[in-house]
Amino acid sequence: MPELPEVETVRRGLAPVMEGARIVQADVNRPNLRWPFPENMSRRLTGARIEQLRRRSKYILADLDTGESLLIHLGMSGRMLISGAKLGTFTHNHPAPEKHDHVVFHMDNGARITFNDPRRFGAMDLLDTSTADAHKLLSTIGPEPLGNGFNEAYLIDALQGKASPIKSALLDQRIVAGLGNIYVCETLYRARITPLRKAGQISKQRVATLVPIIRQVLSEAIDAGGSSLKDFRQADGDLGYFQHSFDVYGRESERCRTAGCGSLIKRVVQSGRSSFYCPNCQR
Ligand code: ZN
């Protein structure tokens, strides 16, 4: 499942070929992904110029000069493949169509962007740009963790009195946007807070430390994605997800990386998701 850094990496990869370019043709090869596509999607996109490609939580939004925005969600397995555009020093030919190429955008700059999604948990919708924030998928999402609305005072207030574990609270998209399992585990390790602790029982001082750590963890992941992205694209034009080096995530029974600790990383299941943590460092 892509989290915020992966979606941001995809957005940054797409922006140079999509922003400012016009969609000369939009192939919509099936009636639906996770949900039906919007009515007349192909017609509504054809001829539209993409003014801005932005991200809200795990959604990519392409603001069009038609007054509509195309919302894209990658789901579990969605990928955006670029071909035909100048990528670095050389140009790709367009690849042969593949089985799960569900939507294809042909841009007026020669680029082709293909949305490929074998499992079809992805989604696309068209919304009025002026009221996009009120869309049912976006209206309940909390502040962007890298934005100004997310700060120490906000998080202290949001977690006050919460009986749910801190792990679940940080995964709650109404509290903060775009955080998923991997980066919450890594954040709590760096903050030395156990994922099992009730959110409302953590001191204000410790809650405040979470804010810069969340920003740091996400920024590092975006930077890592960005640098891997370059090589990946030069190989085959594919924009995908990237392996990062994690301190706790996926490291059950391996040694804690904190100097002098020596404990083994534990895994527990909380609300159906695995939490990885060091029982010695995280209290
Ligand atoms: Zn440890």
PDB file of all heavy atoms in Angstrom, residues 189 256-258 261-263 278 280-281, ligand 1:
ATOM      1  N   TYR A 189       9.264   4.502  16.997  1.00  0.00           N
ATOM      2  CA  TYR A 189      10.592   4.029  17.417  1.00  0.00           C
ATOM      3  C   TYR A 189      11.506   5.224  17.710  1.00  0.00           C
ATOM      4  O   TYR A 189      12.149   5.299  18.750  1.00  0.00           O
ATOM      5  CB  TYR A 189      11.201   3.127  16.346  1.00  0.00           C
ATOM      6  CG  TYR A 189      12.670   2.833  16.555  1.00  0.00           C
ATOM      7  CD1 TYR A 189      13.092   1.940  17.546  1.00  0.00           C
ATOM      8  CD2 TYR A 189      13.638   3.470  15.783  1.00  0.00           C
ATOM      9  CE1 TYR A 189      14.444   1.689  17.747  1.00  0.00           C
ATOM     10  CE2 TYR A 189      14.989   3.216  15.978  1.00  0.00           C
ATOM     11  CZ  TYR A 189      15.388   2.331  16.957  1.00  0.00           C
ATOM     12  OH  TYR A 189      16.726   2.096  17.156  1.00  0.00           O
ATOM     13  N   CYS A 256      17.663  -4.585  17.879  1.00  0.00           N
ATOM     14  CA  CYS A 256      17.394  -3.145  17.877  1.00  0.00           C
ATOM     15  C   CYS A 256      18.661  -2.398  17.466  1.00  0.00           C
ATOM     16  O   CYS A 256      19.766  -2.776  17.848  1.00  0.00           O
ATOM     17  CB  CYS A 256      16.957  -2.727  19.286  1.00  0.00           C
ATOM     18  SG  CYS A 256      16.821  -0.942  19.488  1.00  0.00           S
ATOM     19  N   ARG A 257      18.484  -1.346  16.692  1.00  0.00           N
ATOM     20  CA  ARG A 257      19.659  -0.618  16.180  1.00  0.00           C
ATOM     21  C   ARG A 257      20.159   0.467  17.133  1.00  0.00           C
ATOM     22  O   ARG A 257      21.162   1.108  16.861  1.00  0.00           O
ATOM     23  CB  ARG A 257      19.324   0.020  14.831  1.00  0.00           C
ATOM     24  CG  ARG A 257      19.178  -1.036  13.750  1.00  0.00           C
ATOM     25  CD  ARG A 257      19.191  -0.430  12.361  1.00  0.00           C
ATOM     26  NE  ARG A 257      19.266  -1.501  11.376  1.00  0.00           N
ATOM     27  CZ  ARG A 257      18.473  -1.605  10.318  1.00  0.00           C
ATOM     28  NH1 ARG A 257      17.551  -0.693  10.084  1.00  0.00           N
ATOM     29  NH2 ARG A 257      18.600  -2.616   9.486  1.00  0.00           N
ATOM     30  N   THR A 258      19.438   0.703  18.228  1.00  0.00           N
ATOM     31  CA  THR A 258      19.915   1.697  19.187  1.00  0.00           C
ATOM     32  C   THR A 258      21.187   1.183  19.860  1.00  0.00           C
ATOM     33  O   THR A 258      21.217   0.049  20.347  1.00  0.00           O
ATOM     34  CB  THR A 258      18.830   1.976  20.258  1.00  0.00           C
ATOM     35  OG1 THR A 258      17.675   2.486  19.607  1.00  0.00           O
ATOM     36  CG2 THR A 258      19.310   2.979  21.295  1.00  0.00           C
ATOM     37  N   CYS A 261      21.542  -1.199  23.148  1.00  0.00           N
ATOM     38  CA  CYS A 261      20.256  -1.782  23.542  1.00  0.00           C
ATOM     39  C   CYS A 261      20.316  -3.304  23.519  1.00  0.00           C
ATOM     40  O   CYS A 261      20.219  -3.955  24.536  1.00  0.00           O
ATOM     41  CB  CYS A 261      19.120  -1.277  22.649  1.00  0.00           C
ATOM     42  SG  CYS A 261      17.551  -2.129  22.956  1.00  0.00           S
ATOM     43  N   GLY A 262      20.466  -3.882  22.353  1.00  0.00           N
ATOM     44  CA  GLY A 262      20.616  -5.340  22.263  1.00  0.00           C
ATOM     45  C   GLY A 262      19.314  -6.119  22.294  1.00  0.00           C
ATOM     46  O   GLY A 262      19.302  -7.334  22.110  1.00  0.00           O
ATOM     47  N   SER A 263      18.181  -5.474  22.534  1.00  0.00           N
ATOM     48  CA  SER A 263      16.891  -6.185  22.545  1.00  0.00           C
ATOM     49  C   SER A 263      16.489  -6.592  21.133  1.00  0.00           C
ATOM     50  O   SER A 263      17.009  -6.076  20.150  1.00  0.00           O
ATOM     51  CB  SER A 263      15.795  -5.286  23.114  1.00  0.00           C
ATOM     52  OG  SER A 263      15.930  -5.196  24.501  1.00  0.00           O
ATOM     53  N   CYS A 278      10.675  -1.790  19.652  1.00  0.00           N
ATOM     54  CA  CYS A 278      11.664  -2.309  20.590  1.00  0.00           C
ATOM     55  C   CYS A 278      11.068  -2.187  22.001  1.00  0.00           C
ATOM     56  O   CYS A 278      10.820  -1.070  22.468  1.00  0.00           O
ATOM     57  CB  CYS A 278      12.979  -1.531  20.523  1.00  0.00           C
ATOM     58  SG  CYS A 278      14.112  -2.048  21.828  1.00  0.00           S
ATOM     59  N   ASN A 280      12.405  -2.501  24.758  1.00  0.00           N
ATOM     60  CA  ASN A 280      13.325  -1.879  25.702  1.00  0.00           C
ATOM     61  C   ASN A 280      13.406  -0.365  25.514  1.00  0.00           C
ATOM     62  O   ASN A 280      13.309   0.415  26.464  1.00  0.00           O
ATOM     63  CB  ASN A 280      14.722  -2.508  25.550  1.00  0.00           C
ATOM     64  CG  ASN A 280      15.714  -1.947  26.556  1.00  0.00           C
ATOM     65  OD1 ASN A 280      15.381  -1.742  27.721  1.00  0.00           O
ATOM     66  ND2 ASN A 280      16.922  -1.670  26.099  1.00  0.00           N
ATOM     67  N   CYS A 281      13.522   0.084  24.260  1.00  0.00           N
ATOM     68  CA  CYS A 281      13.686   1.525  23.982  1.00  0.00           C
ATOM     69  C   CYS A 281      12.359   2.266  24.019  1.00  0.00           C
ATOM     70  O   CYS A 281      12.336   3.462  24.276  1.00  0.00           O
ATOM     71  CB  CYS A 281      14.311   1.734  22.607  1.00  0.00           C
ATOM     72  SG  CYS A 281      15.981   1.143  22.457  1.00  0.00           S
TER      73      CYS A 281
HETATM   74 ZN    ZN B   1      16.050  -0.933  21.602  1.00  0.00          ZN
END
